[in-house]
Amino acid sequence: QVQLVESGGGLVQPGGSLRLSCAASGSIFSIYTMRWYRQAPGKQRELVARISSGGSTNYADSAKGRFTISRDNAKNTMYLQMNNLTPEDTAVYYCNADLAEPSNMPTTHWGQGTQVTVSS
């Protein structure tokens, strides 16, 4: 059974930094595009950044210049380095990945989420 597990969330002061990780485990044949989403209270879940298997990246306007998405394919792990955080970044952050199990077509998987709170 495939699992995506996020870690690295927490409480940080405005202007601070956090690094989120998303580790995929289980019977994995290949991982394609990986993404970070976030959902703030009372708001819809939104795409923050995505990275292809080859390393091409895209960012939401709110993340450009402050967040960096990366991945280590050997470790089946994706990261989100978040700098210069503001209270508007407070949300539950979810990882999402299109991946294939052996002998199966790719499907989309979600992690359980990790809370990021930016507050003084």
Side-chain angles (χ1 to χ4, degrees):
Q1 183 177 357
V2 172
Q3 275 192 313
L4 297 179
V5 178
E6 302 98 334
S7 61
L11 173 64
V12 64
Q13 292 187 340
S17 299
L18 282 176
R19 188 193 194 206
L20 306 183
S21 299
C22 170
S25 63
S27 181
I28 298 170
F29 174 71
S30 187
I31 304 178
Y32 304 98
T33 299
M34 302 184 79
R35 307 169 189 88
W36 285 102
Y37 282 81
R38 68 184 182 185
Q39 187 166 19
K43 295 188 176 181
Q44 289 188 332
R45 192 171 296 189
E46 63 175 356
L47 178 65
V48 176
R50 62 184 171 195
I51 184 167
S52 71
S53 57
S56 297
T57 59
N58 296 96
Y59 296 90
D61 287 344
S62 58
K64 288 179 182 176
R66 300 187 302 126
F67 294 2
T68 302
I69 189 171
S70 61
R71 62 192 286 173
D72 184 335
N73 291 331
K75 295 181 179 179
N76 288 341
T77 300
M78 172 178 64
Y79 306 96
L80 186 68
Q81 177 67 43
M82 304 187 294
N83 298 327
N84 194 22
L85 286 161
T86 74
E88 287 68 37
D89 296 314
T90 296
V92 178
Y93 284 71
Y94 297 91
C95 72
N96 164 295
D98 299 332
L99 63 85
E101 298 174 65
S103 303
N104 286 330
M105 295 296 289
T107 54
T108 301
H109 297 257
W110 289 88
Q112 82 288 351
T114 185
Q115 176 70 47
V116 171
T117 302
V118 185
S119 176
S120 55

